[in-house]
Amino acid sequence: MIIPFLSLVGAGPGDPELITLKAINVIRRADVVLYDALVHPALLDYAPPQAVRQFVGKRCGSHSMPQEEINRLMVEMARQYGHVVRLKGGDPFIFGRATEEILVARQHHIGVAVIPGISSVTAVPASQMIPLTSRGLAESFWVTTGTTRSGRLSDDIALAARSSATVVILMGMHHLEAILQIFIRQGRQHTPAAIIQEGTTPQASMVTGTVADIQARAQAAAIGPPAIIIIGDVVPSLSSEYL
């Protein structure tokens, strides 16, 4: 008898070693793995040989599958095969649309478990020796998306720019100029900034500068998405040896 079940599993920030032991053990019990674009392919090797593996990712606004279709597929696969692992980059509850998928599973009487993952929000800056909080520099940090569901710039950027906290912006590269202008209007053109592309992976690259010049530096270095923007005094200067 097939018992449908859904596990929402955080795959970590990109480095295949930055996944939890619990997540690996859950993948090993999968009948189906539905995985996202930023999931390292090596993680699929933990699934049983007979498990169905299907890519359902989205990247840079190019959707391989609408969320509604992913929801339908989760339900269909769970009923047909049993244990579906929904393998998501980072942590399922940080910009991972996990809430929607949990609601769909519950509506169809499918059991659900969430396995937290290491988020790129903290891991990517840490991989480049950038702390989000540091005594005397930053007492807190903001995390916000740069792009809302409608595709426009998040209003939370303006709120974050008024704070002394470190600001971490995901999915913001397409709005980089507008984001930086918001900080400049708050008089923060000299605030240190960094952009990290493909953090925690062998392809990782980073540029640092200030709010005033980070866009030019990123363009010169051909930095693009997927990337994380960090603005705050915790970012090391180009001339200093840090930590």
Side-chain angles (χ1 to χ4, degrees), residues 75-155:
V75 172
E76 179 182 289
M77 292 286 199
R79 287 173 171 169
Q80 182 176 352
Y81 294 98
H83 182 202
V84 173
V85 167
R86 183 73 177 88
L87 193 57
K88 295 173 171 289
D91 181 89
F93 278 154
I94 300 181
F95 304 118
R97 303 189 73 169
T99 303
E100 299 170 51
E101 295 177 1
I102 290 170
L103 290 174
V104 167
R106 287 178 174 172
Q107 287 167 2
H108 291 86
H109 309 289
I110 295 171
V112 185
V114 176
I115 312 303
I118 298 174
S119 174
S120 61
V121 169
T122 54
V124 168
S127 71
Q128 297 290 339
M129 297 291 184
I130 300 177
L132 299 186
T133 63
S134 185
R135 183 173 294 185
L137 291 177
E139 299 172 355
S140 59
F141 63 91
W142 283 68
V143 179
T144 180
T145 179
T147 306
T148 65
R149 181 168 58 180
S150 65
R152 66 179 183 82
L153 185 65
S154 171
D155 292 336

Side-chain angles (χ1 to χ4, degrees), residues 193-238:
I195 299 176
I196 306 170
Q197 179 184 47
E198 297 194 63
T200 78
T201 73
Q203 295 75 40
S205 56
M206 177 177 75
V207 291
T208 61
T210 67
V211 167
D213 66 13
I214 193 66
Q215 183 175 18
R217 291 180 183 276
Q219 289 174 343
I223 298 287
I228 289 179
I229 304 163
I230 306 159
I231 299 174
D233 291 334
V234 295
V235 175
S237 69
L238 292 173

